[in-house]
Amino acid sequence: MASKKILLLVGDYVEDYEAMVAFQMFQAAGHVVHAVCPDKTAGQTVITSIHDFEGEQTYSEKRGHHFRLNATFAEIRPEDYDGLVIPGGRAPEYLRLNPRVLAVTRSFFERHKPVAVICHGPQVLMAAGVLKGRTCMAYPPLRPDIENAGARWAEPNEALDNAHIDANLVSGAAWPANPAVYGAFLKLLDRPTDR
């Protein structure tokens, strides 16, 4: 596979495993990954959150790491990238309020470029208006939101480690799905898309 350029959209309290695993794995596979956050520049950091499944009715949350950004959101041009990755955590709930985040997200769908979302990442897609008529998986409590956005719900398995592929969109329910989601995303990167 030829080297590709991937945009990783993060923010404070992005889910630690979903962001860091993607950032490191895609680089290990020979790709260029630009981790960006609105209103922050290359060299600054975002704080991650570590979510775990410990037997309660929902996940637990702990403060994670300082994740260093290596590109500046204000300077990116979406047309320069081959794929978009939006990890979950709490970051998507406020990233979706940024008009440029939504415009950047729409541009990947308009060009049919690969997009990977996991956990709460689909909140950005809902706000961008790109889910209507699609099928998407997310953290299970987001099912009503996915359906209200006009999308069909893809049911995660009990271990939350499966992925769903709908054309250029790969989605998963939580960090246990990292191998399935990011593996499928890598395969999509190898397919030709509109530039």
Side-chain angles (χ1 to χ4, degrees), residues 83-97:
L84 172 66
V85 176
I86 307 175
R90 286 192 285 136
E93 73 185 17
Y94 66 86
L95 290 175
R96 66 184 169 168
L97 302 176

Side-chain angles (χ1 to χ4, degrees), residues 104-161:
V104 166
T105 300
R106 284 185 204 106
S107 73
F108 282 88
F109 282 87
E110 289 162 2
R111 291 179 175 84
H112 309 288
K113 291 185 178 183
V115 175
V117 291
I118 194 163
C119 187
H120 287 73
Q123 288 179 313
V124 174
L125 305 187
M126 291 178 232
V130 296
L131 279 185
K132 189 171 185 175
R134 306 295 295 260
T135 303
C136 187
M137 187 182 294
Y139 189 62
L142 268 64
R143 180 177 183 166
D145 305 302
I146 295 284
E147 293 175 339
N148 286 336
R152 291 174 297 282
W153 175 249
E155 187 69 33
N157 62 19
E158 188 175 334
L160 303 179
D161 64 0

Side-chain angles (χ1 to χ4, degrees), residues 4 17 20 24 26-27 30 39 41 59 63 65 112 123 147 154 181 189-190 195:
K4 303 286 184 171
Y17 297 144
M20 289 193 168
Q24 294 171 344
F26 296 144
Q27 288 183 85
D39 303 320
T41 59
Y59 57 86
R63 186 179 169 119
H65 298 91
H112 309 288
Q123 288 179 313
E147 293 175 339
V181 171
L189 276 178
D190 214 17
R195 286 290 269 162

